[in-house]
């Protein structure tokens, strides 16, 4: 049994999900909740080291299978080192990107078959329950423009529009597949409106579980 709550934020480049994840953590802490805010790939020293590998620009390039396995290796380390202990202590864990990003980027974007993703998911997180997932949805051109304006690009943000279009569609497919845990949020709305929508949904989750 999972004592805590796991809330994940997903979306394409420039969707503002990292900002919203941070704001939600601040709001919940101010309400007195114990919150762990973390991110993927990364979140523990080992998983952050794997992040450096997987997001790095390698002269030889990186094939989709290596990328997929590193993403799941980072996730296994993250679950073991941080997420599961925090959930066992009854904390609210907020994670900036999680499993749906693998389905969207390695599945939708890179075209890796869903059966491989399902097998890795069964290996790495057989019993984990995600309570709520926010998918911050934004037209691709708008998201890429925001990411570029921010100026920090990694090799994932340097991709072409058709890749990001497939990523967006895969996120929306995941939302349709798991309507109970996924909330699609219009990320083109003003930041405060996005925060309010997220806050309302989390309040409903926490109330529902209190009964
Ligand atoms: P990051 O700089 O954190 O981007 P963002 O601010 O958009 O979250 O880089 C994380 C990148 O890793 C992002 O482009 C998506 C990618 N990613 C995957 O491809 N698969 C995954 O499973 C995860 C967790 C992330």
């Amino acid at each position: 049994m999972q004592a805590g709550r796991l809330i994940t934020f997903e979306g394409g480049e420039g969707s503002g999900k990292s900002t919203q994840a941070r704001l939600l953590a601040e709001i919940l802490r101010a309400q007195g909740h114990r919150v762990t805010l973390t991110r993927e790939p990364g979140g523990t020293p080992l998983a952050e080291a794997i992040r450096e590998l997987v997001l790095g620009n390698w002269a030889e390039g990186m094939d989709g299978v290596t990328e997929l396995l590193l993403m799941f290796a980072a996730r296994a380390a993250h679950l073991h080192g941080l997420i599961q202990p925090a959930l066992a202590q009854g904390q609210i864990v907020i994670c900036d990107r999680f499993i749906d990003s693998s389905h969207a980027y390695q599945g939708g974007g890179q075209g890796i078959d869903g059966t491989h993703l399902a097998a890795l998911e069964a290996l790495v997180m057989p019993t984990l329950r995600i309570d709520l997932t926010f998918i911050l949805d934004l037209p691709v051109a708008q998201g890429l423009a925001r990411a570029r304006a921010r100026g920090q690009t990694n090799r994932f943000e340097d991709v072409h529009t058709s890749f990001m279009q497939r990523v967006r569609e895969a996120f929306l497919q995941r939302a349709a597949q798991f309507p109970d845990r996924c909330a699609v949020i219009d990320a083109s709305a003003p930041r405060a409106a996005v925060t309010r929508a997220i806050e309302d949904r989390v309040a409903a989750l926490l109330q529902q579980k209190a009964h």
Side-chain angles (χ1 to χ4, degrees), residues 13 17 41 51 71 75 97 101-102 105-106 154 156:
E13 316 300 318
K17 66 182 169 40
R51 177 189 175 92
M71 290 295 179
R75 183 161 301 128
R97 293 198 183 281
S101 279
S102 297
Y105 285 77
Q106 283 67 55
N154 58 40
F156 282 82

Side-chain angles (χ1 to χ4, degrees), residues 10-15 17-18 39-42 51 54-55 67-68 71-72 75 96-106 110 117 147 150 152-157 163-164 171:
E10 303 278 9
E13 316 300 318
S15 62
K17 66 182 169 40
S18 306
R39 68 167 178 185
E40 286 210 343
R51 177 189 175 92
V54 70
L55 299 186
E67 186 180 286
L68 174 75
M71 290 295 179
F72 274 91
R75 183 161 301 128
D96 182 355
R97 293 198 183 281
F98 198 59
I99 184 67
D100 299 301
S101 279
S102 297
H103 285 273
Y105 285 77
Q106 283 67 55
Q110 297 277 10
L117 283 141
R150 228 172 27 199
Q152 321 154 302
T153 57
N154 58 40
R155 69 184 180 85
F156 282 82
E157 281 161 349
F163 180 97
M164 283 311 300
F171 273 132

Side-chain angles (χ1 to χ4, degrees), residues 11-192:
E13 316 300 318
S15 62
K17 66 182 169 40
S18 306
T19 304
Q20 293 296 340
R22 189 172 40 74
L23 288 172
L24 178 63
E26 283 168 14
I27 290 166
L28 292 175
R29 281 181 186 134
Q31 291 171 359
H33 295 282
R34 284 181 308 146
V35 177
T36 291
L37 174 63
T38 186
R39 68 167 178 185
E40 286 210 343
T44 69
L46 171 55
E48 289 288 330
I50 299 170
R51 177 189 175 92
E52 292 298 310
L53 292 177
V54 70
L55 299 186
N57 277 303
W58 299 96
E60 70 202 67
M62 188 178 290
D63 64 279
V65 174
T66 303
E67 186 180 286
L68 174 75
L69 294 173
L70 287 174
M71 290 295 179
F72 274 91
R75 183 161 301 128
H78 191 202
L79 281 164
H80 173 80
L82 186 71
I83 294 183
Q84 279 163 342
L87 289 175
Q89 287 173 11
Q91 296 202 32
I92 299 175
V93 176
I94 300 174
C95 193
D96 182 355
R97 293 198 183 281
F98 198 59
I99 184 67
D100 299 301
S101 279
S102 297
H103 285 273
Y105 285 77
Q106 283 67 55
Q110 297 277 10
I112 290 183
D113 196 277
T115 55
H116 299 310
L117 283 141
L120 287 167
E121 196 172 331
L123 174 69
V124 169
M125 41 188 281
T127 59
L128 189 78
R129 180 192 74 233
I130 304 173
D131 293 284
L132 188 54
T133 296
F134 292 108
I135 295 179
L136 272 63
D137 183 56
L138 191 67
V140 168
Q142 216 174 317
L144 286 177
R146 279 196 198 171
R148 283 188 191 118
R150 228 172 27 199
Q152 321 154 302
T153 57
N154 58 40
R155 69 184 180 85
F156 282 82
E157 281 161 349
D158 215 15
V159 295
H160 46 89
T161 304
S162 61
F163 180 97
M164 283 311 300
Q165 193 60 48
R166 294 199 298 280
V167 167
R168 183 186 189 198
E169 278 156 21
F171 273 132
L172 295 176
Q173 263 174 29
R174 294 284 290 173
Q177 199 180 340
F178 302 104
D180 292 344
R181 84 164 158 93
C182 293
V184 178
I185 305 279
D186 174 7
S188 66
R191 182 182 287 183

